[in-house]
Amino acid sequence: MPELPEMETYKNLLNERIAGKTVRAAEVTREKTINVPVDAFKARAEGRRLERVDRRAKMLLFRLDGGDALALHLMLGGSMFYGTPEEAPDRTAQVILTFDDDDRRLYFHGLRLGYLHIYDPPDLEAKLRKLGPDPLDPRFGPNELAAALRRSRGALKFALTDQAVIAGIGNCYADEMCFAAGIHPLRKLTDMSASQLQTLYPAMQSTLSEAMRYGGYMETPLYAGDKLTGGYNDRCKVYDRGGEPCFRCGTPITKTESNGRKVFFCERCQRLGGESGDPNGDAAEARRLSYQH
């Protein structure tokens, strides 16, 4: 499922290509993908200028002039493609937006679990109000992260992926930032010290920054010739690397499952019962080494 780095990548690439364009036509092939009748959706979207694309948590917000916004959540299996009908993947699109200046269209695929809803400002504000702070918000620092996590119980990973606690992190990047911090993802929050919670902040920022720089880990290209999207997939330190050697110490990466979620970690570098098991005994050095890969 796309997380913050994937959606931030899509946001930037789309703003370069469609910001300022007018939606000439909106085609809907699956009414369950939207939240209003098809005729109402078309009436509110067609003829509107797309001012910009924003991101909030794991969603993209397509801001239309007049105040409405299209809120996209790709969920599991969703993707987008921007291009001509000849370039588009041979898949059924649930929604297609056509713009005013050329033959390229924005296709929304795989939205069986995901959605593209249209909201007026009050309804959108009510929806977004349920989300926790964004990790990229400059007002969200180490103390704010520690305080947010302290309000949760249970394992660290489940707090990191709770969108009401912190908005935008999912399975992949929770595991990646726990590895960067040298902390076991299933460590109970009640067993963690304030200094350990604060250690997560630079690990979170470094992990997300690297993932955004390389286009996230989802490898579905946004347009023909897209060389950025998915570039982080081969740079994951632990996620989806079960059985492969740890880049830090060589121990095989453990894959397990907890509460229905896959969890990846290094048993030597991220010991469950205490401080990081880094062979040098220096968590900062361990993080530095992990970032070099």
Side-chain angles (χ1 to χ4, degrees):
M1 181 186 298
E3 303 178 30
L4 185 156
E6 287 72 43
M7 302 309 275
E8 189 73 12
T9 298
Y10 289 145
K11 180 199 80 172
N12 294 334
L13 293 176
L14 286 170
N15 273 321
E16 293 172 1
R17 287 159 178 81
I18 62 175
K21 295 186 177 183
T22 298
V23 179
R24 186 173 73 224
E27 178 182 351
V28 180
T29 65
R30 183 175 185 269
E31 190 164 356
K32 289 183 178 180
T33 297
I34 59 177
N35 60 328
V36 296
V38 172
D39 288 345
F41 185 90
K42 291 169 65 69
R44 292 170 67 176
E46 291 179 346
R48 310 309 307 188
R49 181 177 180 271
L50 176 62
E51 295 184 335
R52 68 185 185 280
V53 182
D54 292 333
R55 180 196 56 78
R56 180 70 171 98
K58 301 177 185 179
M59 292 186 294
L60 290 187
L61 305 175
F62 297 80
R63 304 281 188 177
L64 305 175
D65 67 348
D68 280 346
L70 299 173
L72 171 70
H73 201 313
L74 292 174
M75 300 292 284
L76 187 65
S79 65
M80 290 179 290
F81 184 82
Y82 178 65
T84 66
E86 293 75 22
E87 295 170 331
D90 186 17
R91 301 182 60 186
T92 299
Q94 285 70 58
V95 181
I96 304 172
L97 300 182
T98 302
F99 299 96
D100 58 355
D101 62 342
D102 57 34
D103 292 333
R104 287 174 294 180
R105 303 167 186 179
L106 184 57
Y107 297 84
F108 299 89
H109 296 118
L111 296 185
R112 300 295 174 179
L113 299 175
Y115 56 80
L116 184 68
H117 290 176
I118 192 164
Y119 294 108
D120 60 22
D123 287 343
L124 180 62
E125 181 181 357
K127 182 177 182 63
L128 300 182
R129 193 181 301 130
K130 303 172 184 178
L131 296 169
D134 192 285
L136 303 186
D137 189 331
R139 298 168 295 181
F140 187 67
N143 292 333
E144 288 73 21
L145 173 62
L149 293 174
R150 283 292 188 210
R151 290 193 288 270
S152 297
R153 296 192 175 191
L156 172 61
K157 171 156 183 170
F158 304 120
L160 290 172
T161 56
D162 184 341
Q163 300 306 291
V165 176
I166 305 169
I169 298 169
N171 279 335
C172 174
Y173 297 107
D175 287 349
E176 291 290 293
M177 65 182 62
C178 285
F179 177 78
I183 300 172
H184 198 293
L186 298 182
R187 187 83 178 272
K188 291 184 178 179
L189 284 163
T190 52
D191 294 338
M192 294 181 63
S193 66
S195 62
Q196 285 178 317
L197 290 176
Q198 294 215 348
T199 297
L200 276 166
Y201 183 80
M204 177 178 71
Q205 294 300 320
S206 297
T207 298
L208 295 178
S209 295
E210 181 185 7
M212 289 185 291
R213 187 164 68 251
Y214 289 98
Y217 79 100
M218 303 293 290
E219 295 184 297
T220 305
L222 180 63
Y223 56 90
D226 179 4
K227 302 298 184 183
L228 174 62
T229 301
Y232 185 73
N233 189 51
D234 292 335
R235 302 182 69 86
C236 286
K237 314 302 186 298
V238 290
Y239 185 75
D240 218 16
R241 295 191 62 243
E244 298 179 28
C246 173
F247 293 127
R248 186 185 294 162
C249 73
T251 301
I253 296 298
T254 296
K255 174 187 176 182
T256 188
E257 191 169 302
S258 181
N259 291 351
R261 290 178 180 265
K262 294 187 293 185
V263 186
F264 296 88
F265 57 92
C266 173
E267 291 187 358
R268 186 181 183 195
C269 296
Q270 300 167 268
R271 291 178 182 169
L272 184 58
E275 299 294 330
S276 168
D278 174 63
N280 296 319
D282 185 340
E285 176 67 6
R287 290 193 298 277
R288 184 187 68 79
L289 292 173
S290 74
Y291 298 148
Q292 287 180 349
H293 171 67

